[in-house]
Amino acid sequence: MNLERLFRPKTVAVYGGKWSDYVVEQCVKLGFSGKIWRVHPSRKDCFHSSEDLPEAPDAVFFGINRELTVQEFSTLRQRGAGGAVVFASGFAEEKDGAEYARKLETASGDLPFIGPNCYGFANFFDRVALWPDQVTGTPVERGVAFIAQSGTISISMMSQRRSLPLGYVISLGNQQRLAAEDLIRYCADDERVSAIGLYLEGILDLPKFIAAVDYARSLGKPIALIKAGSSEKGRSAANTHTGALTGSDKLHDALFERLGIARCETLSSLVETLKLLHCFGPLPSKRMLVFGASGGDMAMVSDLASKLDLDFSPIPEAETAVLRASVGERVKLNNPLDIQTATWFDYPKLRQMFAALLRCDYAVTAFMVDPQDETEADTEAFDLAIDTFLETLTENSASGNAALLSSLPESLSKATREKCLRAGVVPLQGLAESLEALQHAAKISKAWNECLLPEILPAIPDDLTVRTLTEMESKEMLAQHGFSIPKSRLANAEKVSAAAEEIGFPVVLKAVAAEMSHKTEFGGVALNLKNVPEVVEAATAMSGITESFLVEEMISDGVAEIILGVSVDPQFGATLTLGAGGIYTELLQDSVALLFPLTEKLVRQSIEKLRINALLKGWRGKPEGDTEALVEAVLKLADFVERHADRLAGCDINPLIVRPRGKGVVAVDALICLK
């Protein structure tokens, strides 16, 4: 689909009244050099119908109701228009709108359009805005594309006072024809676009989205986003622990991490991340250096950085002698570095210090300073220090990436920000969001280097009946796939003693009932039974809830209990969950979601993220767990899922007991749901 005429038009037709007046005003304000034709049935200065237009317009703004939009779109399509913005609401987002959505589909044919129910777009590269409101921002030659499912958030982004250069701002609306994934690909193709920002509430076509993001990566265009709205959609297997742990939001987290998309929580963080990506792209490492003339600032940097995956490694010894000569003997050469104030007015020494710090090969070297407001104070001392930093960077062309960092976002004036950008220095505003931006930019680089695209295993139809296997059936199915399971016997109350003696003490006694998926909650599990009287007593206590029992070998040397499960999401298909297991699964909420395909390296990295990994490493003198066997078990389950993807509705192995190193893992409880 060719989007050039829509987003880079030479001729624009604008339909409607007051709202559409804004469109014309904003095009004039930006300096649009093409032709603008107004269409209104009664205004004297307008064409009165589509037939009156001198030629087919490249781009159309429909600021009219849904009935007229459908009617006029059909006419313009036949005349050969390029594409449109559909401002009107009342389509698929409303109860009676489905019919109009179908009419719009027919009227538009194969022409591209954004909306309906959207604000349109502003193109600051080509000075055109089909936008029914005030557009703030200036034309740029290179900048960020921002694509959003919210017109108001788009306006907020345009209004930011952080000097993020915006090239495109595109509002998606209902995404009936053009969705985020289409526009990611279009913006990535534009050489003027440096990075792409998104505000999403949902993804329409997941495989298409993955392909578009990968295409942007192949062109070196990083992506940062805000994904709003946590969802319970992923809990399709409601009777499994895994279904309770894996929600749609966790799956989106896993998706974005795998794709190398920076997920931000706030607009402030998104703006700073995009600004950093615009200036430098993904950072080559997570090694950072922050310095400034305040011990308090450096303490705050240290505190905030301790919660992030950033590396504030010591200053290399090769530069310490030069730095010592610059800052004096009293300054401790730490990172973050408090340079104190002895050299603040000694510009030759400042220049010498800046040059040494810029040679240290950090991914970003940041000078932290909060200048006073120039309308209320004399900022000459700040300006001279900043200018010296910028000049030193210019003089040392081999230096790495540099930033000016302010603790408060409002501390850097527009003049200071623009001066930094011209010098190739990124002005980062607000300590928390700036440090988050540094982390995001470093993680993108890592994900790109390890690129492993997720594959979506299609979800099986909802209209099939789900059958929950018994624990014994579930474990036998897993055993056939190479999992270790305890020795066990199925018995009635009269035969549990004999079964226990045959297995050997200690044993576990479990109630067997089809409706009892979580046996512990019903008092249906008795552990560590050491003799026949204890087995008989436990069976008697459970007699009210079952007539059938599972007698099982007791695994008594466990280092950690793990949950290893599968849930099937309507959008993501089958996904794995790995985390702390046992009876505290939901309470601890210590889990990670894994998308297909899996690799041994990915599994190991996921285990490292878990808090329960401390037990696997040997906690306070306890034996280390068999992590190798755990990795193997995760990969076995992944293979199991791929083999049974056409009928698997859910699976829990909980707990999977990890024994001491070299002794393996054992699936002591399991629940499989098949369609």
Side-chain angles (χ1 to χ4, degrees), residues 124-145:
F124 294 98
F125 296 126
D126 300 297
R127 299 171 181 258
V128 58
L130 272 64
W131 191 269
D133 206 328
Q134 294 187 71
V135 169
T136 53
T138 56
V140 297
E141 294 183 0
R142 180 175 175 271
V144 168

Side-chain angles (χ1 to χ4, degrees), residues 30-102:
L30 284 176
F32 177 57
S33 60
K35 296 176 181 178
I36 304 174
W37 301 319
R38 292 298 308 270
V39 182
H40 193 282
S42 59
R43 285 188 176 182
K44 293 181 181 179
D45 58 345
C46 298
F47 293 100
H48 292 165
S49 71
S50 298
E51 288 84 354
D52 295 339
L53 293 174
E55 60 185 84
D58 291 324
V60 183
F61 181 86
F62 289 120
I64 48 183
N65 65 40
R66 60 186 183 179
E67 291 88 355
L68 288 173
T69 295
V70 169
Q71 175 185 313
E72 298 301 325
F73 208 159
S74 179
T75 301
L76 288 173
R77 173 181 57 80
Q78 294 173 46
R79 290 201 62 183
V85 170
V86 180
F87 179 53
S89 59
F91 290 86
E93 80 280 2
E94 294 187 7
K95 288 182 179 179
D96 67 338
E99 179 186 353
Y100 282 96
R102 287 192 293 271

